[in-house]
Structures are given as C-alpha cells and as structure tokens.
Amino acid sequence: MNWRDMPSLSTLRAFHAFANSAGVTEAGALINVSHAAISQQLRALERHLGVPLLDRSGRSMTLTAEGHILAQSLTLGFGAIHSAVQDISSRSAQRPLHITCSPMFATYWLMPRLSTFREAYPDIDLVIDPTGKVVPLAAGGADLALRYGYGTWDGLETEILLSTPIVVVAAPDLLSTRTISQPEDLIDLPWLEEIGTNEASVWLHSRGVDKTIKAGRVYLPGNLMMEALRAGQGVAVAVRDFVAPDVKEGRLVELFCEPAGRAYYIAYRPGPQRQSLQDFIAWLRRERDMA
C-alpha cells in the first residue's frame, strides 16, 4: 500500500462520522470537533479523490453513489479496527499484574502491606514473583520491579520507594569472643547469601578484601537466610530496615554499615500503562508516604 496516495485519516474519520449521522453538526459532536471543521474535512477529501462524495443540490447534503461505496468500506474498516482494539484492551486488562522483587523485600515489606491493596482493588489479580535475579521488564512479562540499587537501570523509569543502607550482620553466638574491627576479620566465618545475589562478594571487594572466604557460603531464599542468621549459621549482607528489629532485640549484631545512597526503587517501562499498573504504583506511593 502506498500511503502517500491515501487521504488523511482525519478526512476519512470526518466522512465516516457524517455518513453515520444526520448532518455536519451531529457529525462534529460524534468526534468532538466543530461543524465547520467537518465541512472542511469533507471538501478536502473530495479534492483528494477528485470525485464528489456529497450531493449538495438539496436542502441537506446526501451521499452520492461514490460516497455510499466509501461509507460502506469505512464502516467495515473502522469496525475491524475497533474490534481489534477492544480485543487487545480486554486481553491486557484480564492479564494479572506481574510484580518482581527479592524474597527479602517480599517477606519484610510487600506482604505485610499487601492486604490494603487487595481491599482497595479486589478486581486486580496479582502475580508476586520473589526472586534474587534481575528479571527484565518486557512486554507480556513482568510489569513492575521493586529493585535495590542506585536507580540507574537503562530503559526504565524509576522512583525511590524505601531509602535504607546496606549493613553486615551476624548473631552474637557466631561472633563469640571475636573482635571484629575490619572486614578481613570476617574471612574465617561462614557467609550466607540470598539466592541469585552476590552481595557478600561485592561488599568484601568494595572494602578491599580479595581473599577467599575460608568457611564457605550457603545460598538460600531470603526468609530462610534470616532464620539462618538468627541461628548463628553465618554472616550476611542485608538491608538495615529489614534487620533493625533483630538488632534492637539483640538477636543480631550490626558489624558494618555502608554510606547512604542505595535504596529500593519502583521500576517500570516508560510509555502507556494499563490501569492496574497505574493503580499499583499509586498504592506504592501512598504506602511510602505513610511510612
């Protein structure tokens, strides 16, 4: 199809509106433009095609034979477009909202609050995907990610949800009588890491420790990592807000704290958003502002 030979969509739309109404005033009301704009578009379409589409000899304009042919074709064409748009919109609305986040975040922040979202939006189905891996946000896949970092992920819109630093913690029983004054003092202890992450390695390397952890590592889901931490089975890098109650109660000891800068971010693709995603983001903002 050579689109340069086609009339503009606005002229075809105006003509279709006229053909399905009682006159230019009614046609203008259908597509929210003035009757003068409708008249202009009709004349522009006739000039483009080089044939009269309207008989103006009577008191009111009527369609010519060519006008009837075009009107029928536009009804079929616009009808097919309308059906396709409705079908696509319906499929998108029915697809559950897919949220990806770490198991730790799901356990300690999202799940304790999620009942308020369910109460406000009972018609929105959710898929909560707790994983330590970074899940790409692609069309037809995850709709929104709740990620920890600096908020600099290419191709995504981001906004801060929870600002909290990284800390290194362990149970008092694991430390026993050890004196921990520098990161190297932790090399002889076992380490715990959330599956899909490498926070321990990154933290040790950032502190200039390139030696191998002598007592090994255990990788496990975030909620199990917390249980193992409290049981004295290893040292771990964690988010301060999530271990603060344990530190306060003496179940864990905070050994090191990183400078502020990283945070949990709401991350989503730029562009149009379906209503369920807009509602979820608005709910996250309300929860953030209430904290």
Side-chain angles (χ1 to χ4, degrees), residues 6-243:
M6 289 288 292
S8 70
L9 182 59
S10 59
T11 62
L12 294 174
R13 183 167 170 255
F15 180 78
H16 182 257
F18 175 83
N20 287 275
S21 62
V24 290
T25 300
E26 293 80 3
L30 279 177
I31 60 176
N32 197 31
V33 299
S34 68
H35 68 278
I38 292 290
S39 297
Q40 278 186 328
Q41 296 286 12
L42 294 177
R43 292 189 183 279
L45 182 59
E46 289 178 312
R47 285 195 301 270
H48 182 94
L49 297 176
V51 296
L53 301 173
L54 302 167
D55 183 353
R56 296 176 174 83
S57 61
R59 296 183 61 184
S60 60
M61 291 189 296
T62 58
L63 299 179
T64 63
E66 291 81 1
H68 278 292
I69 293 172
L70 181 59
Q72 291 171 358
S73 297
L74 290 177
T75 296
L76 291 173
F78 283 135
I81 293 171
H82 180 265
S83 295
V85 169
Q86 291 291 99
D87 182 53
I88 292 170
S89 297
S90 175
R91 290 182 186 180
S92 178
Q94 292 172 4
R95 185 170 64 86
L97 189 64
H98 189 157
I99 310 299
T100 176
C101 61
S102 71
M104 285 280 281
F105 185 86
T107 300
Y108 289 95
W109 195 96
L110 184 59
M111 296 313 296
R113 294 170 169 81
L114 198 59
S115 61
T116 63
F117 179 82
R118 303 300 308 135
E119 291 171 4
Y121 305 100
D123 296 332
I124 297 179
D125 294 330
L126 295 174
V127 173
I128 307 297
D129 181 14
T131 175
K133 298 178 181 178
V134 176
V135 176
L137 302 184
D143 297 289
L144 180 141
L146 300 167
R147 293 182 182 173
Y148 191 79
Y150 294 102
T152 53
W153 298 291
D154 291 341
L156 296 181
E157 299 285 345
T158 62
E159 58 183 275
I160 291 178
L161 178 62
L162 174 65
S163 294
T164 181
I166 284 289
V167 294
V168 177
V169 291
D173 289 346
L174 176 68
L175 301 174
S176 186
T177 58
R178 289 173 177 263
T179 299
I180 307 296
S181 59
Q182 56 188 353
E184 287 86 350
D185 297 332
L186 299 171
I187 291 297
D188 293 333
L189 295 172
W191 280 72
L192 307 171
E193 285 195 84
E194 190 172 12
I195 294 174
T197 71
N198 61 344
E199 290 287 359
S201 298
V202 170
W203 182 80
L204 287 167
H205 182 72
S206 72
R207 290 301 190 97
V209 181
D210 295 320
K211 298 177 183 178
T212 303
I213 296 172
K214 296 179 181 179
R217 310 170 193 247
V218 177
Y219 298 91
L220 63 176
N223 57 331
L224 296 182
M225 187 182 83
M226 289 301 299
E227 292 300 321
L229 260 175
R230 297 179 187 118
Q233 296 179 21
V235 182
V237 174
V239 175
R240 175 181 265 178
D241 274 33
F242 299 159
V243 297

Side-chain angles (χ1 to χ4, degrees), residues 260-276:
R262 291 203 284 179
Y264 275 101
Y265 283 82
I266 306 168
Y268 48 88
R269 296 187 302 275
Q273 299 171 348
R274 53 188 177 129
Q275 187 60 50
S276 58

